[in-house]
Amino acid sequence: MTTTPQASHRPAPLKPGDVDRIKTCPLLLRVFTKMGYHHTAEDFANSATLPVRDELDIHTWRDATLRELTELIKDVRQGARKQNALLSFALVYPDKSGRNVLREVGLTLCNKPSVGDNKTLDDLHFEIGDFLDVSITVADMLQFRSLEKDRDTNSSTVESHRDRDRDRDINRTAERDRDRERDRDRERERDRDRDVERRDRYRDRDTDRVERDRDRGMDYNRDRSAPTQPQHTITKYTGNSRT
């Protein structure tokens, strides 16, 4: 059965970027915990393979911190309450192809402050529908620092890959824009050529019409200037007199 802990209201005054938890409806955060290791990305391939036995449903807000989530997990997971228990948080989200991937985003210690305590879901770029996968282990401080260093390195690698993909998308967009501009230039050039051809055709047609009109005028004037033929006269005789 899924346990549903509730995130508590913060009595402190709101700060810039905080959510008014009294007026804002909480979201459903599906958290999957595992002792010793993270689940694999294949476990989140589809709804049929989800590790629902390890699931916690938490109703919380986008400004919830990893420390708050750690305290909620401690309430229902006994392993998270052990001395020097280490919680490793990973965000599960779909990539561009629609396949769910798993990326580590932060570490917290059960009973000690840690650098990941104040990270919020917004800081992790959490979107509604994403999952959180939490690995619970017992580690000493040297192991914690080593894991924190590895996580920072992985995060830097992910960020560099994301920047590279963004630059590649920008370059592709710029190239598409240049291609569209070249196509528009060629289309405008074809339009100009058609306009010139149409104008020349109309000019030739008008010239032919003017020449025909001039020829008709010359024929008409020639006909008017020609000498008239003498008219026939009828003479009527009556008796000996001519009338």
Coordinates of all heavy atoms in Angstrom, one line a residue, residues 49-92:
T49 N 6.0 -1.4 -15.4 CA 7.3 -1.8 -14.8 C 7.6 -0.9 -13.6 O 8.7 -1.1 -13.0 CB 8.4 -1.7 -15.8 OG1 8.6 -0.4 -16.3 CG2 8.2 -2.7 -17.0
L50 N 6.8 0.0 -13.2 CA 7.1 0.9 -12.1 C 7.2 0.1 -10.8 O 6.4 -0.7 -10.5 CB 6.0 2.0 -12.0 CG 5.9 3.1 -13.0 CD1 4.7 4.0 -12.8 CD2 7.2 3.9 -13.1
P51 N 8.2 0.4 -10.0 CA 8.4 -0.3 -8.7 C 7.4 0.3 -7.6 O 7.8 1.0 -6.7 CB 9.8 0.0 -8.4 CG 10.1 1.3 -9.0 CD 9.3 1.4 -10.3
V52 N 6.1 0.0 -7.8 CA 5.1 0.6 -7.0 C 5.2 0.1 -5.5 O 4.7 0.8 -4.6 CB 3.7 0.2 -7.5 CG1 3.5 0.9 -8.8 CG2 3.5 -1.3 -7.6
R53 N 5.9 -1.0 -5.2 CA 6.1 -1.4 -3.8 C 7.0 -0.5 -3.1 O 6.9 -0.4 -1.8 CB 6.6 -2.8 -3.8 CG 5.6 -3.9 -4.3 CD 6.2 -5.3 -4.1 NE 5.3 -6.3 -4.5 CZ 5.5 -7.6 -4.4 NH1 6.6 -8.1 -3.9 NH2 4.5 -8.5 -4.7
D54 N 7.8 0.2 -3.8 CA 8.8 1.2 -3.2 C 8.3 2.6 -3.3 O 9.0 3.6 -3.0 CB 10.1 1.1 -3.8 CG 10.7 -0.3 -3.8 OD1 10.5 -1.0 -2.8 OD2 11.5 -0.7 -4.7
E55 N 7.0 2.8 -3.6 CA 6.5 4.2 -3.9 C 6.0 4.9 -2.7 O 5.3 4.3 -1.8 CB 5.4 4.1 -5.0 CG 4.9 5.5 -5.4 CD 3.8 5.4 -6.5 OE1 3.5 4.3 -6.9 OE2 3.3 6.5 -6.8
L56 N 6.3 6.2 -2.6 CA 5.7 7.1 -1.6 C 5.0 8.2 -2.4 O 5.6 8.8 -3.3 CB 6.7 7.7 -0.7 CG 7.5 6.7 0.2 CD1 8.6 7.5 1.0 CD2 6.6 6.0 1.2
D57 N 3.8 8.5 -2.1 CA 3.1 9.6 -2.7 C 3.1 10.8 -1.7 O 2.5 10.7 -0.6 CB 1.6 9.3 -3.1 CG 1.6 8.3 -4.2 OD1 2.6 8.2 -5.0 OD2 0.5 7.6 -4.4
I58 N 3.7 11.9 -2.1 CA 3.8 13.1 -1.3 C 3.1 14.2 -1.9 O 3.4 14.5 -3.1 CB 5.3 13.4 -1.1 CG1 6.1 12.3 -0.4 CG2 5.5 14.7 -0.2 CD1 7.6 12.5 -0.2
H59 N 2.2 14.8 -1.2 CA 1.6 16.0 -1.7 C 2.4 17.2 -1.2 O 2.4 17.5 0.0 CB 0.1 16.1 -1.2 CG -0.7 15.0 -1.9 ND1 -0.8 13.8 -1.4 CD2 -1.5 15.1 -3.0 CE1 -1.7 13.1 -2.1 NE2 -2.1 13.8 -3.1
T60 N 3.0 18.0 -2.1 CA 3.8 19.1 -1.7 C 3.8 20.2 -2.7 O 2.9 20.2 -3.6 CB 5.3 18.5 -1.5 OG1 6.1 19.6 -1.0 CG2 5.9 18.0 -2.8
W61 N 4.7 21.1 -2.6 CA 4.7 22.3 -3.5 C 6.0 22.4 -4.2 O 7.0 21.7 -3.8 CB 4.5 23.6 -2.7 CG 3.1 23.6 -2.1 CD1 2.0 24.2 -2.6 CD2 2.7 23.1 -0.8 NE1 0.9 24.1 -1.8 CE2 1.3 23.4 -0.7 CE3 3.3 22.3 0.2 CZ2 0.5 23.0 0.4 CZ3 2.6 21.9 1.3 CH2 1.2 22.3 1.4
R62 N 6.1 23.2 -5.2 CA 7.3 23.3 -6.1 C 8.5 23.9 -5.3 O 9.6 23.7 -5.8 CB 7.0 24.2 -7.3 CG 5.9 23.6 -8.2 CD 5.7 24.5 -9.5 NE 6.9 24.3 -10.3 CZ 7.1 23.4 -11.2 NH1 6.1 22.5 -11.4 NH2 8.2 23.3 -11.9
D63 N 8.3 24.6 -4.2 CA 9.4 25.2 -3.5 C 9.8 24.3 -2.3 O 10.6 24.7 -1.5 CB 9.1 26.6 -3.0 CG 7.9 26.5 -2.0 OD1 7.2 25.5 -1.9 OD2 7.7 27.5 -1.2
A64 N 9.3 23.0 -2.3 CA 9.8 22.1 -1.3 C 11.2 21.8 -1.5 O 11.7 21.5 -2.6 CB 8.9 20.8 -1.4
T65 N 12.0 21.7 -0.4 CA 13.4 21.5 -0.4 C 13.7 20.0 -0.2 O 12.9 19.2 0.3 CB 14.2 22.3 0.7 OG1 13.7 21.8 2.0 CG2 13.8 23.8 0.5
L66 N 14.9 19.6 -0.6 CA 15.3 18.2 -0.3 C 15.4 17.9 1.2 O 15.1 16.7 1.5 CB 16.7 18.0 -1.0 CG 16.8 18.1 -2.5 CD1 18.2 17.6 -3.0 CD2 15.7 17.2 -3.2
R67 N 15.7 18.9 2.0 CA 15.6 18.6 3.4 C 14.2 18.3 3.9 O 14.0 17.4 4.7 CB 16.2 19.8 4.2 CG 16.0 19.8 5.7 CD 16.6 18.5 6.3 NE 18.0 18.2 6.0 CZ 18.6 17.1 6.3 NH1 18.0 16.1 6.9 NH2 19.9 17.0 6.0
E68 N 13.2 19.0 3.4 CA 11.8 18.7 3.7 C 11.4 17.3 3.3 O 10.8 16.6 4.0 CB 10.9 19.7 3.1 CG 10.9 21.1 3.7 CD 9.9 22.1 3.1 OE1 10.3 22.6 2.0 OE2 8.8 22.2 3.6
L69 N 11.8 17.0 2.1 CA 11.5 15.6 1.5 C 12.2 14.6 2.3 O 11.7 13.5 2.6 CB 11.9 15.6 0.1 CG 11.1 16.5 -0.9 CD1 11.6 16.4 -2.3 CD2 9.6 16.3 -0.8
T70 N 13.5 14.9 2.8 CA 14.2 13.9 3.6 C 13.5 13.6 4.9 O 13.3 12.5 5.3 CB 15.6 14.5 3.9 OG1 16.3 14.6 2.7 CG2 16.4 13.5 4.8
E71 N 13.0 14.7 5.6 CA 12.3 14.5 6.8 C 11.0 13.7 6.6 O 10.6 12.8 7.5 CB 11.9 15.8 7.5 CG 13.2 16.6 7.8 CD 14.0 15.9 8.8 OE1 13.5 15.2 9.7 OE2 15.3 16.0 8.7
L72 N 10.3 13.9 5.5 CA 9.1 13.1 5.2 C 9.4 11.7 4.9 O 8.7 10.8 5.4 CB 8.4 13.8 4.0 CG 7.7 15.2 4.2 CD1 7.2 15.7 2.9 CD2 6.6 15.1 5.2
I73 N 10.5 11.4 4.2 CA 10.9 10.0 3.9 C 11.3 9.3 5.2 O 11.0 8.1 5.4 CB 12.0 10.0 2.9 CG1 11.5 10.5 1.5 CG2 12.6 8.6 2.7 CD1 12.6 10.7 0.5
K74 N 11.9 10.0 6.1 CA 12.3 9.4 7.4 C 11.1 9.0 8.2 O 11.2 8.0 9.0 CB 13.1 10.4 8.2 CG 14.5 10.7 7.7 CD 15.2 11.9 8.4 CE 15.2 11.8 9.9 NZ 15.9 13.0 10.5
D75 N 10.0 9.6 8.0 CA 8.8 9.3 8.8 C 8.3 7.9 8.4 O 7.6 7.2 9.2 CB 7.7 10.3 8.6 CG 8.0 11.6 9.2 OD1 8.9 11.6 10.1 OD2 7.4 12.6 8.8
V76 N 8.5 7.4 7.2 CA 7.9 6.2 6.7 C 9.0 5.2 6.3 O 8.6 4.0 6.0 CB 7.0 6.5 5.5 CG1 5.8 7.3 6.0 CG2 7.7 7.2 4.4
R77 N 10.2 5.5 6.2 CA 11.3 4.6 5.8 C 12.3 4.4 7.0 O 13.0 5.4 7.3 CB 12.0 5.0 4.5 CG 11.1 4.9 3.3 CD 10.9 3.5 2.9 NE 10.2 3.3 1.6 CZ 8.9 3.1 1.5 NH1 8.1 3.0 2.6 NH2 8.4 3.0 0.3
Q78 N 12.3 3.3 7.6 CA 13.1 3.1 8.8 C 14.6 3.2 8.4 O 15.4 3.7 9.2 CB 12.9 1.7 9.4 CG 13.6 1.4 10.7 CD 13.3 0.1 11.3 OE1 12.4 -0.6 10.7 NE2 13.9 -0.3 12.3
G79 N 15.0 2.8 7.3 CA 16.4 2.8 6.9 C 16.9 4.3 6.8 O 18.1 4.5 7.0
A80 N 16.0 5.2 6.5 CA 16.4 6.6 6.4 C 16.7 7.2 7.7 O 17.2 8.3 7.8 CB 15.4 7.4 5.6
R81 N 16.3 6.6 8.8 CA 16.5 7.1 10.1 C 17.8 6.7 10.8 O 18.1 7.1 11.9 CB 15.3 6.8 11.0 CG 14.0 7.4 10.5 CD 12.9 7.3 11.6 NE 12.5 5.9 11.9 CZ 11.5 5.3 11.2 NH1 10.8 5.9 10.3 NH2 11.2 4.1 11.5
K82 N 18.6 5.8 10.1 CA 19.8 5.3 10.7 C 20.9 6.4 10.8 O 20.8 7.4 10.0 CB 20.3 4.1 9.9 CG 19.4 2.9 10.0 CD 20.0 1.8 9.2 CE 19.1 0.5 9.3 NZ 19.7 -0.6 8.5
Q83 N 21.8 6.2 11.7 CA 22.9 7.2 11.9 C 23.7 7.2 10.6 O 24.1 6.2 10.0 CB 23.8 6.8 13.1 CG 24.8 7.8 13.4 CD 24.3 9.1 14.0 OE1 23.1 9.1 14.5 NE2 25.0 10.2 13.9
N84 N 24.0 8.4 10.1 CA 24.8 8.7 8.9 C 24.1 8.1 7.6 O 24.8 7.7 6.7 CB 26.2 8.1 9.0 CG 27.1 8.8 10.0 OD1 26.8 10.0 10.3 ND2 28.1 8.1 10.5
A85 N 22.8 8.0 7.7 CA 22.1 7.6 6.5 C 22.2 8.6 5.4 O 22.1 9.8 5.7 CB 20.6 7.3 6.8
L86 N 22.5 8.2 4.2 CA 22.7 9.1 3.1 C 21.6 8.9 2.1 O 21.3 7.8 1.7 CB 24.0 8.8 2.4 CG 24.3 9.6 1.1 CD1 24.5 11.1 1.4 CD2 25.6 9.0 0.5
L87 N 20.9 10.0 1.7 CA 19.8 9.9 0.7 C 20.3 10.6 -0.6 O 20.7 11.8 -0.6 CB 18.6 10.7 1.2 CG 17.6 9.8 2.1 CD1 18.3 9.6 3.5 CD2 16.3 10.6 2.3
S88 N 20.3 9.8 -1.6 CA 20.7 10.3 -3.0 C 19.4 10.5 -3.8 O 18.7 9.5 -4.0 CB 21.7 9.4 -3.6 OG 21.9 9.8 -5.0
F89 N 19.2 11.7 -4.2 CA 18.0 12.0 -5.0 C 18.3 12.0 -6.5 O 19.3 12.6 -6.9 CB 17.4 13.4 -4.6 CG 16.8 13.4 -3.2 CD1 17.6 13.6 -2.1 CD2 15.5 13.3 -3.0 CE1 17.1 13.7 -0.8 CE2 14.9 13.3 -1.8 CZ 15.7 13.5 -0.7
A90 N 17.4 11.4 -7.3 CA 17.6 11.4 -8.7 C 16.2 11.8 -9.3 O 15.2 11.3 -8.9 CB 18.0 10.0 -9.2
L91 N 16.3 12.6 -10.4 CA 15.1 13.0 -11.1 C 14.9 12.1 -12.3 O 15.8 11.8 -13.1 CB 15.2 14.4 -11.6 CG 14.0 15.1 -12.2 CD1 12.9 15.3 -11.1 CD2 14.4 16.5 -12.8
V92 N 13.6 11.6 -12.4 CA 13.3 10.7 -13.6 C 12.3 11.5 -14.4 O 11.3 11.9 -14.0 CB 12.6 9.4 -13.1 CG1 12.3 8.5 -14.2 CG2 13.5 8.7 -12.1

